[in-house]
Amino acid sequence: MAVYGNNNDTTVYRVPTGVRLFGFFGRALAGDDTLNMLAATDRIQELNIYDTANGKRLAHYLLDQAVIAARFLPQRKQLLVFTASQHVYRIDLSKLSSED
């Protein structure tokens, strides 16, 4: 579970235990348990992808306009990202790993 705070910060908790996993500046957009990933935005055009197991940032992208929404497609190992300019970005997640 991702809880958005008053200071543009988000804290991620494990639901069954209530244990705090990690925190970051910004707002969570989408998450997927099968991929252990969370997509978030901090600044208006930025997109970050985090590993939910350890909180490590796996990727950082600067897009054309404000990030509006994101959705994981776990079966394809992709992330779809929609921006204010009505562009849809398809991000390949197969090469992202927390071991890098």
Side-chain angles (χ1 to χ4, degrees), residues 1-71:
M1 176 173 61
V3 178
Y4 184 64
N6 290 333
N7 299 313
N8 191 34
D9 60 337
T10 298
T11 304
V12 179
Y13 297 91
R14 183 174 308 285
V15 172
T17 62
V19 172
R20 181 188 185 279
L21 297 175
F22 65 97
F24 58 89
F25 285 106
R27 176 177 54 96
L29 296 169
D32 188 86
D33 287 339
T34 58
L35 295 172
N36 290 325
M37 292 182 184
L38 182 135
T41 185
D42 181 5
R43 294 183 179 93
I44 194 165
Q45 293 177 254
E46 291 183 353
L47 177 77
N48 293 308
I49 300 173
Y50 294 96
D51 183 329
T52 57
N54 58 24
K56 180 179 177 184
R57 186 168 72 175
L58 300 174
H60 171 81
Y61 301 95
L62 184 61
L63 304 178
D64 68 330
Q65 287 285 324
V67 178
I68 303 298
R71 181 176 181 179

